[in-house]
Amino acid sequence: MQILEKILNELKSESLVIFDLDSTLFDVSPRITAILKAFASEFKVKDTHPEHYRILTNVEPHPQDYGVRRTLERYNFPTTDMDFIKKLVEFWKTKFFSSDYLHHDRPYLGAHEFTKKVEQKGAEILYLTGRDSPRMKEGTISSLIAHQFPLDQNAQNLILKPSKDISDAVFKQKFFENLKHSHKDVYFFENEPLNIHLAMVEAPFVKPIFVETVHSQKTPEPSAKVPRIKNWKI
């Protein structure tokens, strides 16, 4: 039986299902490319770097892109002009970690449908994300509503970092450290291997599912014992 079907069959009203957002439920590559095109327009790159402008304005989203550097590498973007690259990366970083471009994100195929099935089972849903509240709460709520993901009143089931200065790993580690075994079953969908490892260490009762989309490659992927999915299609 497929993993997602098996989980749905196991869910009870006492179950808790935790979802990461970026590269788990949402493909963020459209956000990346929109920011690159905005940079080209806003800084009049066409006048100062016409070849750079041509590349930046023709970039298309690719689901395997992680961060801006991988996108630029895919297009063989010139890397000799370090001042230009630095300015571009800083612009991307400012805009990517803000609410301004979150409306470009697109849910992975079947992601919305799966969360709705979880909701219909009566299980509790939490969104646990490395996005921070001051910069990204407003846009995140708007995005979840626009794509009809289950959201509690006042978005009580959306857990964001209180500050950008906290690393994603530390934030999620603390969450699982404080998570009480108060639910019959707890499932955790995540694309970043380190966060899965930390969840397994801090809360061994949690059942992690590795979402094989794209990740930072800073740590090895979870062992074969951890269930994994490539998409949300049932």
Side-chain angles (χ1 to χ4, degrees), residues 83-208:
D83 288 339
F84 184 92
I85 294 292
K86 183 179 179 180
K87 190 175 183 180
L88 171 58
V89 171
E90 283 301 316
F91 179 85
W92 171 83
K93 194 178 295 184
T94 299
K95 297 300 183 181
F96 188 83
F97 298 105
S98 74
S99 287
D100 298 348
Y101 287 80
L102 291 180
H103 62 281
H104 290 279
D105 291 356
R106 290 292 173 264
Y108 288 114
L109 183 64
H112 160 257
E113 290 80 3
F114 181 76
T115 59
K116 294 298 288 185
K117 288 181 183 295
V118 170
E119 181 184 44
Q120 289 163 9
K121 286 284 186 174
E124 181 180 353
I125 292 174
L126 281 182
Y127 303 107
L128 177 66
T129 174
R131 300 177 183 183
D132 66 84
S133 184
R135 297 182 298 175
M136 306 184 76
K137 182 177 181 179
E138 182 180 346
T140 299
I141 292 174
S142 296
S143 177
L144 288 168
I145 291 173
H147 296 290
Q148 301 181 336
F149 281 93
L151 197 61
D152 292 348
Q153 187 174 13
N154 299 322
Q156 292 297 308
N157 61 331
L158 173 62
I159 313 298
L160 304 103
K161 295 191 302 186
S163 167
K164 67 181 178 63
D165 298 323
I166 305 171
S167 75
D168 294 2
V170 169
F171 171 67
K172 292 188 177 182
Q173 181 179 20
K174 284 292 184 183
F175 173 86
F176 284 106
E177 181 183 320
N178 295 322
L179 182 66
K180 307 302 181 186
H181 197 175
S182 57
H183 294 77
K184 182 178 179 60
D185 295 296
V186 181
Y187 301 88
F188 174 44
F189 289 89
E190 168 73 59
N191 69 294
E192 194 61 52
L194 177 58
N195 296 331
I196 287 180
H197 170 72
L198 293 173
M200 295 172 70
V201 170
E202 301 296 343
F205 57 87
V206 170
K207 302 174 183 178

Side-chain angles (χ1 to χ4, degrees), residues 39-49 53:
F39 176 84
S41 173
E42 188 168 325
F43 287 91
K44 300 184 176 10
V45 177
K46 186 175 184 179
D47 299 331
T48 58
H49 299 77
Y53 179 84

